[in-house]
Amino acid sequence: MTRHLGQEFLYLSHSDVTSCGLTMPEIIAALESMFREKGEGRVEMPPKIGVHTMPDAFLHAMPAFIPSQKAAGVKWVGGYPANSERGLPYITGLLILNDPETGVPTSLMDCTWITAQRTGAATAVAAKYLARPDSATVGILGCGVQGRSNLESLKTVFPLKKAFAYDTHFDGAARYAEEMSKQLEIEVVAVADPKQAVVQSDIVVTAGPILRKPHATIQPGWLAKGAFASLVDFDSYWHPAALHEADKFTTDDVPQLNHYRGIGYFQNIPPIYADLGELVTARKPGRQSPEERTMACNLGLALDDIAVAPLIYARALDRQIGTWLKL
Ligand SMILES: NC(=O)c1ccc[n+]([C@@H]2O[C@H](COP(=O)([O-])OP(=O)(O)OC[C@H]3O[C@@H](n4cnc5c(N)ncnc54)[C@H](O)[C@@H]3O)[C@@H](O)[C@H]2O)c1
């Protein structure tokens, strides 16, 4: 409950959000319970709508409601591939939380940290069901915000020993390797060839730019038998023949995938085996043998954000973080 419901709301800046100190295991647990609710059909989320002011860029409106968590709200998020040239993040935006009983806004918060962390957490939830439990090596292609949060989340679930980092800017991969090896206390090596980051890895995460027409760098035969891949940048990185090597290809929400198909993405992907809600509720089995190649193409759902934002809000109330503003 806000101090004065209907009169004030809590504004949380980027640094307010991060200083709430929500941990990756907490975020993974929140997403897994949300996907259980989704699998049981107890959530509401229309596919994203958006406007597109530049080629390969988006501004998306992402509303969701999770009754069991009394969580409702909307994220308004931009993704602009050319922002790095201006010293700006790829992903920026704001999230509004609403009181589900009155609809009144209770909080407005920066959503960049939530977007980074919940996307990493969604990879970890998918990997719990689809990757080999003994997975020890990870290939990261795209050493930016997502490259970081995805490796962090995987480290909380798997006995990781080594990661291979590839980025089109080698110095970025080298910086990433130095930073992440210290942060996670595993060996992280920068590699100069994307193939080196794929062929040696039990888990592969692709997190470069999302492109309507895939650059299709990853060729058939690169992803090892028994490996799991998380396609954070959709199918952009993968040659269609490499995608079709998957024994199980999953996503987080089929209607949303179909929506993207309708506007020109995902023109040559394998059939969808399951969504994440079906895996979490055991309606469909996840990995069934050590040899399977499995893939998760999580598109990123409003439900992910609305599962996490109330935890930030509650923590902020508890620790008296943020600024109260008049409605
Ligand atoms: N699926 C989801 O839920 C979800 C959520 C958030 C972001 N994303 C997507 O994840 C991607 C990465 O986002 P970010 O916030 O980490 O961006 P970022 O700008 O922080 O990092 C992107 C990195 O990729 C590198 N890069 C560019 N082209 C590359 C290539 N071909 N191979 C390897 N590296 C390459 C860049 O140099 C940069 O270091 C974006 O496409 C974004 O839209 C997906």
Side-chain angles (χ1 to χ4, degrees), residues 12-26:
L12 297 170
S13 68
H14 181 264
S15 69
D16 291 336
V17 171
T18 55
S19 64
C20 287
L22 212 64
T23 65
M24 188 54 93
E26 288 174 305

Side-chain angles (χ1 to χ4, degrees), residues 228-251:
F228 161 75
S230 175
L231 284 50
V232 175
D233 53 3
F234 296 9
D235 56 346
S236 309
Y237 230 107
W238 298 75
H239 189 286
L243 290 179
H244 284 271
E245 287 182 330
D247 296 293
K248 290 185 172 130
F249 186 91
T250 71
T251 187

Side-chain angles (χ1 to χ4, degrees), residues 48 58 75 79 81 84 88-91 115-116 118-119 141-148 166-169 172 194 206-211 215 217 231-234 237 252 297-301 304:
K48 289 172 197 173
F58 63 82
K75 183 169 87 165
S84 61
L88 292 170
Y90 193 130
I91 298 285
T115 304
R118 63 69 151 162
T119 308
L141 295 97
C143 299
V145 172
Q146 289 300 333
R148 284 169 169 77
Y166 171 76
D167 197 285
T168 36
H169 295 94
T206 55
I210 291 176
L211 306 171
H215 57 91
T217 303
L231 284 50
V232 175
D233 53 3
F234 296 9
Y237 230 107
D252 47 3
C297 183
N298 293 330
L299 308 164
L301 305 182
D304 301 336

